[in-house]
Amino acid sequence: MEPPQARPGRQADPLADAAIRLFALAGTDALGHGVARHLGLTLSRHEERDFEDGEHKTRALDPVCGADVYLLHSLHGDAAGSANDRLCRLLFFIGACKDAGAARVTAIAPYLCYGRKDRRTKPNDPVTTRYVATLFEAVGTDRLVTMDVHDEAAFENAFRRRTVALTAVPLLVTSIRSLTADAGRLCVVSPDLGGGKRAERLRGALEEATGRPVGTAFAEKHRSGGQVSGDLFVGDVAGATCIVIDDMVSTGGTLARAARAARGGGARQVVACVTHGLFSAGAETVLAEPAIDRILMTDTVPPVRLPDGPARRKLEVVSAAPLFAEAIRRLHRDLPLSDLFVF
């Protein structure tokens, strides 16, 4: 997506005639600067202060009274802070902006924490996605924008405010096309049955972009007590370039299993595509798996946890900034978002 063009004779700010504020909290500033650049804006100024006992505060330095405010913060954990810490900082900043008179506050959480705990799988289990939704509502959040949630139906049902769940599919398709221009037949692989809808979205978008048929395959996966099992693989992948698609990668085990299964079925090469690269401990070893040729991911989570080595050298990062910028532009102007989605 191209950034909006500046009006002749005016500052390169397509939203300069309206009260809009875009903030990016520490740890998400690189993505924030990219979003601001695509909007023709500069990030609004704020202060983040940490106290000796671990408490903190965040306040806007640019006025927000009467403004349409967008707060960008990805809610993953890293060496600088846990997911809980990032969530708390964002919530408190939302509340502070509402208290300061902001007309509307939209939380932009490129990666939304606790999305995997959206239902009970054992007696007395928490439904943490719903509790997180309640916290956002409690501080006065008007809208929440995120990308590739774990389960869209559970996410939408958890919130009582407007939510926008973008998908990285439009961003990934361009990179997939460049990587597979001479790859022959393509096949999209879901690493588990639950990801079938996500795989179908990518398959349809690739067919439309390439003008040729794209196949589908599924790998079986069962998880219980932290152990993953399942050996069934369904789909004709012989001689094909397989695109394994998932919403996130943590240890990398799911991607590696699917890649090995595709290779076992005769796949020519395997490209792993994920939106959120969490890369927990050991991922650098698992993702060095020879069955995986390339890894595509967006920058919703910076890949700081993946050290240099074979896995890192397979990685290509695709910027999510253009898509978030376009969503913000349309939300600010109350324009439809429908063509940003892939159904």
Side-chain angles (χ1 to χ4, degrees), residues 179 249-253 255-256 270-274 277-297 303-317:
L179 285 178
V249 54
S250 182
T251 64
L255 292 179
V270 175
V271 178
C273 288
V274 295
L278 302 181
F279 300 122
S280 58
E284 69 276 10
T285 302
V286 176
L287 293 172
E289 164 66 52
I292 301 175
D293 294 283
R294 299 296 296 272
I295 304 170
L296 291 179
M297 61 166 266
V304 293
R305 283 180 163 182
L306 191 64
D308 190 28
R312 183 63 181 251
R313 289 192 286 274
K314 298 178 185 182
L315 184 66
E316 179 178 323
V317 179

Side-chain angles (χ1 to χ4, degrees), residues 196-333:
K197 184 175 181 181
R198 185 177 299 109
E200 178 58 25
R201 282 176 173 173
L202 179 61
R203 189 200 64 78
L206 276 174
E207 277 196 348
E208 183 176 350
T210 61
R212 54 194 174 105
V214 176
T216 305
F218 296 89
E220 180 189 26
K221 185 181 82 169
H222 302 290
R223 188 188 300 274
S224 179
Q227 299 298 314
V228 176
S229 62
D231 299 313
L232 183 65
F233 186 83
V234 179
D236 177 14
V237 298
T241 291
C242 288
I243 315 298
V244 181
I245 178 74
D246 210 349
D247 60 325
M248 67 178 71
V249 54
S250 182
T251 64
T254 297
L255 292 179
R257 283 171 56 84
R260 286 193 295 268
R263 288 287 197 177
R268 174 183 173 187
Q269 62 176 320
V270 175
V271 178
C273 288
V274 295
T275 303
H276 314 296
L278 302 181
F279 300 122
S280 58
E284 69 276 10
T285 302
V286 176
L287 293 172
E289 164 66 52
I292 301 175
D293 294 283
R294 299 296 296 272
I295 304 170
L296 291 179
M297 61 166 266
T298 74
D299 56 354
T300 56
V301 178
V304 293
R305 283 180 163 182
L306 191 64
D308 190 28
R312 183 63 181 251
R313 289 192 286 274
K314 298 178 185 182
L315 184 66
E316 179 178 323
V317 179
V318 180
S319 177
L323 187 54
F324 281 111
E326 183 62 16
I328 290 171
R329 185 185 72 82
R330 296 190 190 193
L331 287 170
H332 178 64
R333 292 174 170 168

